[in-house]
């Protein structure tokens, strides 16, 4: 899940809650359960399945393993998953919609375990998708990897967004600006905000023990988004597809330590499709 960026607000100096090594390990444990819950969803993603079914599976799995789905009841959100199909960017509410061949679906989930949240998202292709949409998924996933690899102690938040922007712009895709990544910890959304665009050397300096959700939201067409009447779902204004990948990472020993994982998802996809590519 991603907070809406409050454009034009006055930036105040804030103290960031830096996590201890022990707390980072608690978040990693939360992230591991989250990765396994994602994999349970990945097993079910195919034409004909409803998004409500995906949500029910994730909620059940997380609670059966002692966690709580962080998004459920968060600011009134009614489910444990955000499921955002095709032109939906983020915060889609699970329901009766049945996935169709050629759809893409962003599945965003959070877990609260041992007092700490973790947050990650993965976008799947449902069956075969057109090549430009496949490219959108690959570029969005790669932009997250590049952002994570760029993290070093002493750099600033703007450097993360810069790394994403520089990569994505080469492909002619656009970056959503109204929603951003965020700090993660005892609360699902903490400071600082982590925009997916930015200028080198600007913004808050990264410090050891910061835990951040980095979550590029990349559109095939225009960067503009609107909110639907359900007061949650964000979709592209031109109704072209959007992709979203997210990891929770800690600044640990001077670099990004990824606390969530796609490994369980990709094991499932390997069994389904026999190879590791973005699905
Ligand atoms: Mg999320
Ligand atoms: Mg998030």
């Amino acid at each position: 899940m991603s907070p809406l960026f409050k454009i034009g607000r006055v930036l105040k100096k804030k103290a960031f809650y830096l996590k201890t090594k022990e707390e980072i390990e608690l978040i990693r444990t939360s992230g591991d359960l989250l990765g396994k819950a994602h994999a349970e969803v990945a097993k079910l993603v195919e034409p004909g399945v409803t998004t409500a079914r995906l949500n029910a599976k994730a909620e059940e799995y997380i609670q059966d393993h002692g966690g709580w789905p962080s998004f459920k009841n968060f600011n009134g959100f009614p489910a444990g998953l955000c499921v955002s199909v095709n032109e939906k960017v983020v915060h889609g509410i699970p329901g009766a919609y049945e996935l169709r061949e050629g759809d893409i679906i962003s599945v965003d989930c959070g877990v609260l375990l041992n007092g700490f949240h973790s947050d990650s998202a993965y976008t799947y292709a449902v069956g075969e998708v057109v090549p430009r949409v496949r490219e959108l998924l690959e570029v969005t996933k790669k932009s997250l990897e590049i952002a994570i690899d760029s993290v070093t102690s002493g750099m600033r938040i703007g450097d993360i967004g810069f790394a994403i922007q520089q990569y994505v712009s080469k492909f002619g895709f656009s970056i959503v600006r109204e929603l951003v990544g965020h700090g993660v910890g005892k609360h699902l959304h903490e400071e600082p905000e982590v925009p997916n665009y930015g200028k080198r050397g600007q913004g808050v300096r990264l410090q050891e023990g910061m835990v951040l959700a980095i979550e590029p939201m990349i559109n095939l067409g225009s960067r503009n988004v609107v909110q639907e009447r359900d007061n949650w779902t964000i979709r592209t204004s031109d109704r072209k597809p959007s992709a979203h990948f997210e990891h929770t990472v800690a600044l640990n020993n001077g670099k990004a330590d990824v606390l969530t994982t796609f490994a369980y998802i990709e094991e499932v996809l390997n069994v389904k499709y026999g190879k590791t590519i973005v699905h």
Side-chain angles (χ1 to χ4, degrees):
M1 196 173 258
S2 3
L4 281 168
F5 192 50
K6 297 167 198 76
I7 294 164
R9 72 192 191 135
V10 178
L11 289 171
K12 288 180 284 188
K13 278 207 165 182
K14 292 196 177 170
F16 301 107
Y17 181 69
L18 302 174
K19 282 73 180 177
T20 64
K21 300 277 185 196
E22 292 72 22
E23 289 170 333
I24 288 172
E25 293 314 311
L26 290 174
I27 300 174
R28 196 190 313 276
T29 306
S30 174
D32 194 69
L33 175 55
L34 173 55
K36 289 173 178 167
H38 267 295
E40 293 301 308
V41 173
K43 289 176 188 170
L44 298 176
V45 170
E46 58 186 19
V49 73
T50 65
T51 57
R53 172 85 188 100
L54 303 181
N55 179 66
K57 183 69 192 178
E59 288 191 8
E60 175 192 277
Y61 187 86
I62 292 166
Q63 291 180 84
D64 282 354
H65 292 80
W68 175 254
S70 304
F71 301 172
K72 195 162 171 97
N73 306 327
F74 180 76
N75 292 338
F77 191 76
L81 290 186
C82 294
V83 288
S84 306
V85 177
N86 296 336
E87 76 277 13
K88 308 218 169 63
V89 180
V90 285
H91 303 171
I93 299 171
Y97 180 80
E98 292 181 2
L99 296 181
R100 294 174 196 165
E101 177 91 15
D103 283 348
I104 59 171
I105 176 174
S106 153
V107 175
D108 189 356
C109 190
V111 161
L112 173 64
L113 184 68
N114 298 325
F116 285 90
H117 294 274
S118 55
D119 189 2
S120 77
Y122 199 94
T123 303
Y124 301 88
V126 182
E128 286 297 314
V129 299
V130 300
R132 183 68 172 152
V133 173
R134 166 76 56 198
E135 186 177 34
L136 175 69
L137 300 188
E138 289 170 353
V139 167
T140 306
K141 186 164 185 267
K142 185 75 179 170
S143 76
L144 173 60
E145 291 163 4
I146 285 171
I148 289 169
D149 288 345
S150 80
V151 170
T152 54
S153 56
M155 72 183 268
R156 293 180 183 270
I157 286 288
D159 295 318
I160 296 176
F162 177 81
I164 293 169
Q165 189 172 8
Q166 196 187 38
Y167 180 70
V168 166
S169 62
K170 286 193 274 190
F171 297 88
F173 299 128
S174 62
I175 298 170
V176 175
R177 295 191 171 213
E178 289 82 356
L179 298 116
V180 293
H182 50 93
V184 185
K186 289 181 179 167
H187 304 280
L188 180 61
H189 292 160
E190 298 183 355
E191 294 289 332
E193 288 174 338
V194 186
N196 296 303
Y197 63 95
K199 292 189 175 150
R200 267 185 174 150
Q202 291 200 345
V204 172
R205 194 177 289 283
L206 301 191
Q207 299 171 61
E208 195 71 12
M210 265 187 179
V211 176
L212 304 173
I214 303 176
E215 50 178 315
M217 289 154 259
I218 309 298
N219 295 349
L220 191 141
S222 149
R223 74 172 175 86
N224 296 321
V225 297
V226 295
Q227 189 166 44
E228 293 193 336
R229 284 191 192 146
D230 62 14
N231 284 327
W232 279 105
T233 310
I234 305 289
R235 69 162 172 84
T236 56
S237 54
D238 61 10
R239 296 187 184 273
K240 290 182 178 171
S242 182
H244 178 213
F245 286 84
E246 176 181 26
H247 270 313
T248 299
V249 306
L251 192 70
N252 195 6
N253 298 324
K255 56 185 172 52
D257 181 0
V258 184
L259 304 179
T260 48
T261 176
F262 296 152
Y264 304 115
I265 292 174
E266 287 171 351
E267 278 174 27
V268 170
L269 298 181
N270 282 344
V271 170
K272 263 188 177 177
Y273 301 103
K275 55 188 168 179
T276 306
I277 55 168
V278 178
H279 285 284

